[in-house]
Amino acid sequence: MAKYAVLSDIHSNAEAFEAVLKKCSAVGVDHYLFLGDLVGYNADVKRCIAMAKELNFLCAVRGNHDDFAISKNDVASSFNVYAAAAIEWTRTVLSAEEIAFLEEMPLKRTVPGLPVTLVHATLDSPDTWGYVFDAHHAVGNFSYQISQLCFCGHSHVPVAFEKVPFAPGGKLVEAIEGWERNLVYSLADDDFSIADELEVSVKKGHKYLFNIGSIGQPRNGDCRASFAVYDSEAQTVTRYRVPYDIAATQEKVRAAGLPEKLALRLAKGR
């Protein structure tokens, strides 16, 4: 029995990554799982890859930004102009060893010894990079989900869904209330200077799909780094959000000559 940190969409943001690892240490994480997109958008490519290597991920999958960064495929047809510029820049700084590290990650994987599947996008066609935003998309994902738990990222928006084994006259798949924005903690004043968490109990016979949001570039209006921890003994999944030094990351984005929009959106969480 252990605690497993589930990390996603780090996007070359070392300050956010470091804040998350500090929180992981505080809550007693034993192992690390990774959902993809280690690179892209931000400028601390080499530091983030080095940190990821040090963690020795128990299991990891590749994201679309990782995939394009190590390929020769045209990014203009797949990404907006800002994301494409970041990938083109990332390609110029990646070493052969760093490319090999990203190449080793598959597109989806079941974690050995755990009822957990990892995928960056969707289980039905992980290489087409689809999104899970609502219960309709979740239903499609559940039809391919063999394990009790599935963790995904990609959208940068934390959402979660529960599939019950039997619901007479009701829905089999429901969104888990509060996962995107903790209802216990009011964000009315936009005070993102403190940590936030929400715990979900895993029920026997139920299936769960958790999109854990993004560490390096959140897009749900909350600029804090978002990740989750699966406790296999307590049978809980807890979503954490932690503040980090956004200004330092913004400075690195600008120093690298990346689009200003990529720096500005970090403070907005959009």
Side-chain angles (χ1 to χ4, degrees):
M1 300 296 181
K3 290 183 178 180
Y4 303 83
V6 190
L7 315 178
S8 189
D9 296 277
I10 294 167
H11 285 300
S12 301
N13 186 334
E15 285 73 29
F17 198 1
E18 288 166 351
V20 165
L21 295 184
K22 183 178 180 180
K23 184 67 175 181
C24 287
S25 178
V27 301
V29 164
D30 300 291
H31 304 286
Y32 292 86
L33 310 175
F34 180 56
L35 302 179
D37 276 359
L38 185 53
V39 303
Y41 291 124
N42 298 299
D44 229 333
V45 176
K46 292 186 176 294
R47 175 61 181 147
C48 286
I49 292 179
M51 291 167 65
K53 287 182 176 180
E54 291 173 5
L55 291 180
N56 191 26
F57 292 136
L58 178 65
C59 196
V61 295
R62 189 166 70 246
N64 57 319
H65 287 254
D66 304 324
D67 198 56
F68 274 93
I70 63 177
S71 73
K72 295 182 180 180
N73 294 332
D74 178 25
V75 295
S77 61
S78 300
F79 290 152
N80 63 50
V81 62
Y82 310 109
I87 287 298
E88 294 290 5
W89 177 85
T90 298
R91 286 174 171 175
T92 69
V93 301
L94 284 173
S95 68
E97 183 181 355
E98 291 164 341
I99 290 172
F101 177 71
L102 296 175
E103 283 179 333
E104 290 175 357
M105 300 177 189
L107 297 185
K108 66 178 179 180
R109 189 178 176 191
T110 299
V111 182
L114 292 178
V116 174
T117 300
L118 309 181
V119 67
H120 183 67
T122 61
L123 289 176
D124 58 336
S125 54
D127 58 337
T128 62
W129 313 114
Y131 293 90
V132 176
F133 282 118
D134 52 34
H136 173 74
H137 295 107
V139 168
N141 201 82
F142 276 124
S143 65
Y144 289 85
Q145 183 177 323
I146 298 174
S147 61
Q148 183 182 23
L149 304 175
C150 179
F151 292 100
C152 68
H154 191 38
S155 69
H156 299 210
V157 176
V159 290
F161 303 92
E162 178 179 6
K163 182 180 180 181
V164 300
F166 183 64
K171 294 181 180 179
L172 290 174
V173 175
E174 291 280 2
I176 295 176
E177 187 177 23
W179 184 261
E180 179 178 352
R181 176 161 290 187
N182 193 343
L183 302 183
V184 177
Y185 168 51
S186 172
L187 298 177
D189 297 324
D190 290 337
D191 180 6
F192 299 114
S193 64
I194 62 174
D196 178 25
E197 64 184 76
L198 178 68
E199 181 181 281
V200 175
S201 295
V202 175
K203 302 172 187 174
K204 187 176 181 180
H206 293 215
K207 285 188 175 182
Y208 297 85
L209 170 62
F210 294 97
N211 184 317
I212 65 169
S214 172
I215 289 175
Q217 195 200 75
R219 294 180 189 164
N220 63 318
D222 188 327
C223 58
R224 295 171 296 179
S226 178
F227 73 105
V229 172
Y230 168 52
D231 187 327
S232 62
E233 181 175 7
Q235 283 298 291
T236 58
V237 174
T238 304
R239 188 224 62 226
Y240 293 94
R241 284 194 284 249
V242 294
Y244 71 94
D245 190 346
I246 292 174
T249 303
Q250 291 175 317
E251 184 176 337
K252 291 176 181 178
V253 169
R254 293 175 176 127
L258 294 172
E260 176 68 8
K261 181 177 175 63
L262 296 180
L264 295 175
R265 73 184 305 176
L266 292 172
K268 299 177 181 178
R270 292 288 184 191

